[in-house]
Amino acid sequence: MRPCSDGYVRWLHRQGYNKISVVGMCLGGTVAGLIAAQEEKVDKAVLMVSPMSPADLVWTAETMKSLRGRIEPAMSLEDLRTAWGLINLEMHTWGLTRPRLDMMFVLGKDDTIARPEAADRVIELLTKCGSSPEVLRLNCGHSSVGIFPYNIIAARKVLRFLKETPTLAELWDVRGFRYDFSEV
């Protein structure tokens, strides 16, 4: 049987995995949010520097100017929001506030691609609906969340959120360093 025939999450659950988390960065985070909103077997979702609305991402991100230039003659931002409404996380508040779903957002305060203001709107909506997502705000931009020291800070917080606290040696290993901490 192919797992994609009825969804990876349900397939994992049938294989005996009872705790299922989805984690994604940038558009992968948007996809993780969409999966979490639709799949009740997902327990945790981590959205890292993720655009809440791909339409707004195309319209406002510096890196998307070329794509916007091709789209804009044919449609407005409102047209694009309507066309892509199904993949706008604000439209999935109901699924994201369901019981037994824990969420974490990792935001770059200076992110000019997946703007933190958009995530703040979704976080506010979730909070108004009784959910209390964990939020990590880093003093960095979009891509720099993957650069030292922000990547280590994010990795530690995300792993703690997922209930797997890494050791200092494991975090150091993530950076590609090899050091024998037993001598310390």
Side-chain angles (χ1 to χ4, degrees):
M1 170 177 45
R2 294 181 24 212
C4 60
S5 63
D6 67 338
Y8 287 112
V9 172
R10 284 172 273 164
W11 181 82
L12 285 168
H13 193 263
R14 283 195 311 274
Q15 301 311 305
Y17 294 96
N18 295 318
K19 297 280 186 183
I20 299 173
S21 301
V22 290
V23 179
M25 184 170 181
C26 194
L27 284 172
T30 304
V31 171
L34 294 170
I35 291 169
Q38 300 300 315
E39 292 286 349
E40 293 204 12
K41 297 198 182 330
V42 170
D43 300 293
K44 296 184 182 214
V46 179
L47 285 61
M48 301 177 65
V49 293
S50 304
M52 301 297 111
S53 163
D56 287 290
L57 169 81
V58 167
W59 224 256
T60 63
E62 186 70 27
T63 56
M64 295 288 174
K65 276 186 174 181
S66 173
L67 179 57
R68 177 184 174 179
R70 290 188 304 242
I71 293 173
E72 197 168 18
M75 58 190 342
S76 68
L77 173 57
E78 284 308 313
D79 294 336
L80 192 57
R81 283 179 178 154
T82 299
W84 288 357
L86 193 58
I87 57 174
N88 180 338
L89 287 177
E90 289 183 52
M91 302 301 170
H92 294 273
T93 305
W94 176 256
L96 294 174
T97 57
R98 67 179 165 72
R100 295 178 303 283
L101 174 63
D102 293 325
M103 292 194 66
M104 179 180 193
F105 291 83
V106 178
L107 311 175
K109 290 180 182 177
D110 300 321
D111 192 339
T112 59
I113 296 171
R115 300 186 184 270
E117 311 85 62
D120 287 337
R121 283 194 311 273
V122 171
I123 292 164
E124 184 179 335
L125 279 170
L126 296 175
T127 303
K128 283 181 180 177
C129 292
S131 185
S132 52
E134 190 169 319
V135 181
L136 172 61
R137 295 177 193 279
L138 298 170
N139 289 321
C140 64
H142 187 78
S143 298
S144 53
V145 77
I147 298 173
F148 185 81
Y150 308 111
N151 59 349
I152 298 296
I153 295 166
R156 186 164 176 85
K157 297 277 186 173
V158 168
L159 290 171
R160 185 172 288 143
F161 173 77
L162 297 172
K163 300 288 189 249
E164 295 180 25
T165 306
T167 65
L168 182 58
E170 289 168 330
L171 284 175
W172 205 249
D173 215 29
V174 167
R175 291 286 303 146
F177 296 111
R178 302 290 180 251
Y179 187 79
D180 186 0
F181 283 92
S182 64
E183 296 176 9
V184 179

